[in-house]
Structures are given as C-alpha cells and as structure tokens.
Amino acid sequence: GPGAASAPVNPPNCLCAPRNRPEGKVLETVGVFEAPKQHGKYETGQLFLHSVFGYRGIVLFPWQARLYDRDVASPVTEKSENAAGHGSKEVKGKTHTYYQVLIDARDCPHISQRSQTEAVTFLANHDDSRALYAIPGLDYVSHEDILPYSSTDQVPIQHELFERFLMYDQTKVPPFVARDTLCAWQEKNHPWLELSDVHRETTENIRVTVIPFYMGMREAQNSHVYWWRYCIRLENLDSEVVQLRERHWRIFSLSGTLETVRGRGVVGREPVLSKEQPAFQYSSHVSLQASSGHMWGTFRFERPDGSHFDVRIPPFSLESNKDEKTPPSGLHW
C-alpha cells in the first residue's frame, strides 16, 4: 500500500526514495509519478522529484523569468563587441517558468555534495552591514527540473516551513494549499526572492546557468554598497568526466571600475562532473559601490588526460531595484 517500503526494484510508475542508509539500498515508496506538464505551470503544493539532484520537494509559487539562452542562435548572427570585451551574440530573453520550492530535509544530506541547499540569502539587520542570513532548504528550479508526483501522505515533505506555509486540503488537487503566512511572506520578501533574469551558455558540453538577485543597499563609511547574490549551476551534458579547477571573474561596476578575481574551484570545492553526477550548483555574493554593473568570466575544467579547457560564464547584469524598498529584517511574519 502507499507508504509501504518497496524492494530495490521499483514497481512500474512507483516513486521510491532511498532511506537514509549508508549503502542507500533500501527504498521506500513515496508516491506515484504523474505526467510532467508540457504546457501551463505547476500549482502551489505540487510535489516533485528534482530531475537533476533527485531530492523530494514541493512548489511554493511560480516565477516568470526571462531566459537569455546563448545556445539558441538568434536571427541576427553578426558579432558585436560589447562592454564585456568579447564578441557577443545579441540574445533575446524568452519567458520561462521557474519555481520557488522547499527541499525535503531528509534529502539535504544526500545532495549537499552537489548543491548548496540554501539558494536564498538575505542581508541581515542594519547593525552589521556585511551579515547575511540564509534560509535552509529553499531552492529555485526550472519547469523542466520537475518530475511531479502525488502522495497520500498529509506531511510528505519534512521542512520547518512546510506546515507554516501549506495546509492539507483533500478537496484540492494538489491537496496542499497556501496558508496566509506563505502569501504574506511572498508579498513581504518579493523584491529579494524574485528571479527575473536567467542566463545560460554551453561550452564544450558544459552548460553554465546563472541567476542573479539584487539583495539591497547598505550605507558604509559615507558611501553606498549594493549587494547581489548569484546562483550558478554547472551541468556536464557529455559522458566524459571533468573537474572544475579554477574560476576567473571580471566584475565591471557602473562607477567605472573593472575587477578581476581568480581562484581555485568555487566555494572551496573543485567538483567533479560525471555521467552519474552531472551537475553542481552553488551560490555566491558580490557587492559594488555603484547601483549597477555586470559580471562575466570563465571556469577552467580539467579532463582525465590532464588537458584543460575554459567554459564561458555568460555575461549578466547586476541591476538594483528601481523602487528602493526596506530590506527584510529577519524572519518576522
């Protein structure tokens, strides 16, 4: 029956998650797969498995983003020199649905090597101009990341915000509906949660996706400091194993400064992207003393034979919200 542990061989159309055992051999039934939506969007309360990272999650709400995909050649193919200093194609943004989701806490330990499980950070209160606080187990996923499923479990996702944000209602499909607290939280933190632009580019079968977020402005020593967070996903679309060795960033600020940042790996890691574990996702932060700027660069990867190649990070702009709203001050509902 539903919720019963199943043998490691999955019954057809039955969705199983590894139990928290070192060998990961024991599987338990968590629900039944549904057909992914080709058109339209998933509703609040939709349960899903992440198609890349494999975690269980639930949709909080959708965002409409502009996806700038450099892999899709636009009709105009002439190259033009841009401020980022290299020939660039004019890229048109296409509307694409992304979702704010909760990650099941039981799955966080399994994905922490592949993905940071706090894709959302806020600037903390004004006393400390550099402090950031993060909400664990929140992520942004694109429409095609979602493998939808249904469950008879009234609390199918373990997350401290699950029962604060969602309520079981068996008359609805999906049977989880937004509580007022979720609507209030979304309303209040909308400027820092909203994802508006997504940038994507593939070099030698390594796809880089960047999502920048404006986090707010702080005053420091009579000047203004503007903060952004950016989420990056690296995906190996090939079967050859590669390892990320270095990052090389250029950060241009509207005030006219150009900064170069080189370093080993990313967030202290040098992830290996293989056929079994093709993706790695992380977030980082950048501050400028100007209200806008842009960033671009390369990741250097190593092949098994020791040769290296550079993967382009698509140029993306750092924009501050035109209407300055007060940054959030902790998690007060």
Side-chain angles (χ1 to χ4, degrees):
S6 76
V9 180
N10 292 6
N13 209 31
C14 163
L15 175 53
C16 299
R19 286 270 271 289
N20 203 354
R21 300 273 169 84
E23 71 281 12
K25 293 277 191 293
V26 184
L27 296 172
E28 60 182 337
T29 308
V30 294
V32 179
F33 273 121
E34 298 169 352
K37 286 193 178 187
Q38 302 300 319
H39 306 288
K41 57 181 190 281
Y42 297 105
E43 300 300 323
T44 295
Q46 175 66 57
L47 293 167
F48 69 93
L49 262 196
H50 194 296
S51 67
V52 178
F53 296 112
Y55 63 71
R56 287 165 280 185
I58 193 162
V59 169
L60 293 180
F61 40 81
W63 293 114
Q64 289 306 113
R66 287 186 301 274
L67 173 62
Y68 295 92
D69 193 341
R70 290 172 172 265
D71 303 336
V72 181
S74 36
V76 188
T77 48
E78 298 134 59
K79 296 215 164 184
S80 61
E81 282 297 315
N82 68 345
H86 52 68
S88 79
K89 302 189 282 286
E90 193 56 44
V91 186
K92 298 266 186 291
K94 285 184 66 170
T95 304
H96 195 74
T97 306
Y98 273 71
Y99 300 91
Q100 190 89 57
V101 306
L102 290 183
I103 303 175
D104 194 309
R106 292 167 294 189
D107 296 336
C108 287
H110 303 297
I111 61 167
S112 61
Q113 285 302 303
R114 311 305 307 163
S115 175
Q116 288 175 332
T117 52
E118 63 293 323
V120 172
T121 46
F122 292 109
L123 287 174
N125 57 22
H126 282 270
D127 315 336
D128 178 356
S129 63
R130 296 183 61 87
L132 297 169
Y133 69 87
I135 303 178
L138 268 180
D139 199 3
Y140 293 88
V141 305
S142 81
H143 188 78
E144 58 275 11
D145 289 337
I146 288 188
L147 296 172
Y149 74 93
S150 57
S151 167
T152 53
D153 192 342
Q154 296 197 11
V155 187
I157 300 295
Q158 286 184 17
H159 189 291
E160 56 177 338
L161 296 175
F162 178 81
E163 293 182 78
R164 244 159 129 180
F165 280 173
L166 297 157
M167 184 164 52
Y168 184 74
D169 179 347
Q170 60 185 47
T171 67
K172 298 284 197 296
V173 178
F176 304 99
V177 295
R179 290 183 186 270
D180 294 345
T181 42
L182 176 57
C183 306
W185 181 76
Q186 201 245 11
E187 185 73 19
K188 178 176 183 293
N189 296 310
H190 179 271
W192 299 274
L193 293 170
E194 182 176 23
L195 136 174
S196 57
D197 293 352
V198 178
H199 303 264
R200 195 157 77 185
E201 183 166 8
T202 305
T203 310
E204 302 207 26
N205 283 319
I206 305 296
R207 182 161 67 192
V208 181
T209 305
V210 185
I211 310 175
F213 298 86
Y214 177 56
M215 293 177 67
M217 181 266 292
R218 280 293 143 79
E219 292 180 31
Q221 292 97 42
N222 303 323
S223 71
H224 290 168
V225 179
Y226 297 81
W227 283 84
W228 288 265
R229 164 176 94 251
Y230 54 93
C231 293
I232 293 194
R233 187 194 293 184
L234 302 164
E235 281 173 277
N236 184 357
L237 308 176
D238 197 13
S239 54
E240 182 178 63
V241 179
V242 295
Q243 184 168 13
L244 191 157
R245 289 301 192 188
E246 290 171 39
R247 66 184 185 282
H248 181 197
W249 282 106
R250 308 204 88 140
I251 305 162
F252 176 79
S253 161
L254 192 65
S255 59
T257 61
L258 178 61
E259 194 185 344
T260 297
V261 179
R262 283 182 180 276
R264 283 189 74 92
V266 287
V267 292
R269 308 268 292 281
E270 295 183 23
V272 173
L273 305 183
S274 63
K275 202 174 168 64
E276 297 69 43
Q277 307 252 306
F280 182 79
Q281 182 171 294
Y282 75 97
S283 298
S284 193
H285 300 88
V286 61
S287 62
L288 300 177
Q289 290 185 325
S291 60
S292 68
H294 52 260
M295 291 175 61
W296 68 98
T298 50
F299 290 124
R300 175 153 290 189
F301 278 86
E302 187 178 338
R303 297 188 184 92
D305 65 9
S307 62
H308 291 86
F309 63 102
D310 285 337
V311 169
R312 286 187 299 279
I313 304 169
F316 57 97
S317 58
L318 302 168
E319 303 289 347
S320 54
N321 291 3
K322 305 298 171 277
D323 45 339
E324 271 299 338
K325 299 186 180 68
T326 22
S329 52
L331 284 176
H332 305 303
W333 313 92

